[in-house]
Amino acid sequence: EVITVQELANRMAEKGADLVKSLFKMGQAVTLNQSIDQDTAELLVEEFGHRIQRVSEADVEIGIEGELDPVESLKVRAPVVTIMGHVDHGKTSLLDALRGTDVVAGESGGITQHIGAYQVTTKGGDIITFLDTPGHEAFSEMRARGANVTDIVILVVAADDGLMPQTIEAINHTKAAGVPMIVAINKCDKPEANPQKVRERLLEHEIVVEDMGGDVQDVQVSALKKTGLDELIEKILLQAEVMELTANPDRAAEGNVIEAQLDKGRGAVATVLVRKGTLKVGDTFVIGAESGKVRALVNDKGQQVKFAGPSVPVEVLGLSGVPMAGDQMTVVENEARAREVAAYRQEQITRKRTASVPTNFENMFSALSTKVIEYPVVIRGDVQGSVEAIVNALNRISTDEIKVRILSSGVGAITESDVTLASASRAPLIGFNVRPNAKARPLAIREKISLRYYDVIYDLLEEVRNEMAGQLAPER
Ligand code: GDP
């Protein structure tokens, strides 16, 4: 948390109360003296029509670094795609098959390197970036660290197996992130494949594919026989076009760590996905709380490159330590400044460990388009009957101004997936007659999830109702 609402208001010469009001519309119950995080601050600054300008050293943390990119500087960038789905449904096979469609891989003479992400150049010359770590845990962990790098999710469902628990988890995580989805119905080469059944089952999760009158694209593929891949690529490009994905390539680079490790010969190495600007050899940077100078850049084909623009994943050499996935990389003008920013971030990290102000990204983004405040929640119960009763009752207490948004509901002990989902959306996690399992418990503590246990539905509803009223109160 980097700046109080009052401070930000002062800097923008706006009324603090107006900011608080705006924050409420975004779904955040924050008072003047409370701090907000970087993304929220940036959004507010933009909402109030201000340009982000440098004022002081710490400002790099709220993105008040340089100016907002002017519209005319924005160029089309490649979409960033993540593949999710149930175990054994073919995520890895599909990633490999898609990689095999790259038309420049052969001629470039490079050797495939697994750096955590790769780019494919299509027959038509378009480029797509795929994140190489499939699964929703990585996706939500990154999101919890503020790295919303994925533009499009491909949900892989095996046509012979249908919707399975992790498929549903992936759907919930994708929905919570508000990222558009393309359904790849895989293993269509199998005689027992039943793609139509998959489409029908998806309806139960409010995913309506185009054939059934909805707006979610779906495609039948076989990662094994390599069929349907061109069509899948076409649909990704179509989705990307609709989204008008752009970035300014002509500025100091910013990006996010996809993965990082300590390499025997090369020292600390991180794969960074550049989000905006162009990262160059020789650039001075801060990653998380580590600083460094780019000694070399290596692409997904194992080739040394001089620079990397928006949506390009590259291995960065020259780090002083190993950062974490999701960490932000920011290029700065000199080493003195890099040290300053690194020290500042270190302090922030320490502070975060001791106190955590829950913020509400999902609320924020959904509220921006709908102007209805949302109260997100994850629910777990001991039996289907009570879970249904709770979901129905919660939906009923929604009003025109504030709406309960159930990110996920299910029967059984609270799992790691529930925790990452709640964490990424800063949502409370409610257990009705259930407790977290052995893995979920420590994770919930680490992520500072608001875990609540109930054994009486009435109590649960009362508390949620009170909190919802609390979020609305200052607007009255
Ligand atoms: P992941 O766990 O989702 O990454 O799944 P994998 O890619 O490891 O695939 C699991 C199994 O399904 C492997 O034995 C694959 O060979 C097989 N598989 C993947 N895609 C297909 C497909 O399109 N058709 C058939 N018949 N098998 C497939």
Side-chain angles (χ1 to χ4, degrees):
E1 320 308 330
V2 295
I3 189 167
T4 67
V5 177
Q6 185 64 61
E7 264 173 65
L8 186 62
N10 293 347
R11 285 194 198 171
M12 297 199 296
E14 296 282 352
K15 284 204 200 96
D18 289 343
L19 267 70
V20 171
K21 210 162 168 189
S22 252
L23 283 162
F24 274 107
K25 283 198 190 128
M26 294 175 182
Q28 293 206 33
V30 188
T31 60
L32 278 179
N33 296 321
Q34 275 178 316
S35 293
I36 52 176
D37 60 309
Q38 173 175 344
D39 299 56
T40 313
E42 275 187 30
L43 261 177
L44 268 183
V45 171
E46 284 172 36
E47 258 236 331
F48 280 82
H50 289 266
R51 278 282 173 89
I52 295 177
Q53 292 167 358
R54 168 167 303 163
V55 180
S56 76
E57 176 237 311
D59 289 342
V60 68
E61 293 298 317
I62 58 164
I64 300 188
E65 184 199 29
E67 294 214 320
L68 266 188
D69 296 307
V71 182
E72 59 274 16
S73 73
L74 301 177
K75 304 262 160 60
V76 175
R77 63 171 178 84
V80 179
V81 179
T82 296
I83 297 194
M84 295 199 229
H86 194 70
V87 63
D88 277 347
H89 278 198
K91 297 180 294 293
T92 313
S93 307
L94 190 60
L95 274 164
D96 288 345
L98 286 166
R99 190 166 190 154
T101 66
D102 187 8
V103 296
V104 301
E107 64 195 51
S108 70
I111 299 158
T112 298
Q113 299 289 314
H114 282 274
I115 63 170
Y118 64 83
Q119 286 202 309
V120 161
T121 304
T122 70
K123 286 172 195 151
D126 294 294
I127 294 175
I128 303 173
T129 304
F130 290 95
L131 295 190
D132 214 350
T133 330
H136 50 263
E137 292 86 359
F139 175 80
S140 279
E141 258 171 54
M142 294 267 286
R143 226 158 54 79
R145 299 181 67 78
N148 295 303
V149 297
T150 302
D151 299 308
I152 299 167
V153 164
I154 295 180
L155 180 73
V156 178
V157 188
D160 59 336
D161 205 20
L163 263 64
M164 297 301 278
Q166 288 171 312
T167 317
I168 292 156
E169 285 176 12
I171 291 172
N172 291 334
H173 284 248
T174 307
K175 278 191 182 168
V179 174
M181 179 191 295
I182 297 172
V183 182
I185 306 177
N186 191 30
K187 307 201 186 184
C188 283
D189 58 287
K190 285 197 162 183
E192 62 271 38
N194 190 346
Q196 192 54 26
K197 190 170 160 212
V198 172
R199 295 188 190 100
E200 282 162 18
R201 288 284 320 278
L202 283 169
L203 286 174
E204 293 164 26
H205 300 275
E206 286 138 44
I207 294 172
V208 190
V209 299
E210 283 177 330
D211 273 0
M212 305 187 92
D215 56 4
V216 177
Q217 303 193 83
D218 72 301
V219 49
Q220 292 183 206
V221 299
S222 163
L224 191 73
K225 300 270 192 268
K226 303 191 174 25
T227 58
L229 300 180
D230 287 346
E231 202 187 334
L232 176 57
I233 284 171
E234 241 170 67
K235 298 205 161 171
I236 296 169
L237 294 173
L238 188 69
Q239 181 67 49
E241 207 178 299
V242 172
M243 295 169 82
E244 296 181 24
L245 304 167
T246 57
N248 175 6
D250 303 311
R251 51 162 286 162
E254 274 178 29
N256 289 98
V257 175
I258 301 300
E259 60 176 49
Q261 72 270 340
L262 201 57
D263 191 294
K264 257 191 204 152
R266 304 184 298 170
V269 180
T271 296
V272 169
L273 179 71
V274 178
R275 307 285 299 284
K276 46 174 110 163
T278 298
L279 183 62
K280 304 182 197 75
V281 172
D283 275 351
T284 300
F285 62 82
V286 182
I287 289 187
E290 306 288 345
S291 59
K293 194 180 175 104
V294 180
R295 206 167 67 224
L297 295 171
V298 181
N299 71 11
D300 56 343
K301 276 128 193 141
Q303 299 159 322
Q304 292 223 6
V305 290
K306 288 270 180 320
F307 52 85
S311 294
V312 177
V314 272
E315 274 192 328
V316 178
L317 279 68
L319 284 74
S320 60
V322 183
M324 284 169 74
D327 276 349
Q328 167 129 18
M329 173 187 220
T330 312
V331 168
V332 293
E333 61 266 45
N334 56 47
E335 268 159 52
R337 178 142 176 82
R339 277 193 299 272
E340 259 171 34
V341 175
Y344 176 78
R345 285 193 185 170
Q346 189 58 57
E347 189 192 307
Q348 290 290 315
I349 291 166
T350 317
R351 213 187 304 165
K352 236 181 212 163
R353 273 200 204 109
T354 47
S356 162
V357 181
T359 55
N360 226 322
F361 289 98
E362 254 60 57
N363 281 0
M364 191 158 84
F365 291 116
S366 52
L368 276 180
S369 49
T370 62
K371 295 289 174 206
V372 177
I373 300 179
E374 289 192 334
Y375 181 91
V377 59
V378 176
I379 295 164
R380 276 274 170 181
D382 53 344
V383 291
Q384 189 60 35
S386 40
V387 172
E388 269 170 28
I390 292 165
V391 168
N392 288 335
L394 284 175
N395 282 329
R396 275 201 301 273
I397 62 175
S398 295
T399 66
D400 290 345
E401 291 169 292
I402 185 159
K403 193 167 132 248
V404 176
R405 180 162 178 230
I406 294 157
L407 300 175
S408 161
S409 63
V411 175
I414 293 164
T415 65
E416 279 173 285
S417 170
D418 296 330
V419 175
T420 48
L421 181 59
S423 165
S425 296
R426 306 288 174 196
L429 178 41
I430 293 179
F432 187 77
N433 284 328
V434 292
R435 292 282 187 273
N437 66 25
K439 279 185 173 169
R441 194 183 301 271
L443 188 63
I445 293 167
R446 204 165 67 229
E447 298 287 328
K448 297 199 174 71
I449 294 297
S450 166
L451 258 178
R452 296 119 188 239
Y453 308 120
Y454 299 92
D455 47 19
V456 179
I457 293 184
Y458 177 83
D459 294 344
L460 186 163
L461 292 175
E462 265 310 290
E463 220 172 290
V464 170
R465 213 193 310 251
N466 285 340
E467 278 192 28
M468 285 168 66
Q471 292 212 357
L472 279 177
E475 272 214 312
R476 293 215 175 104

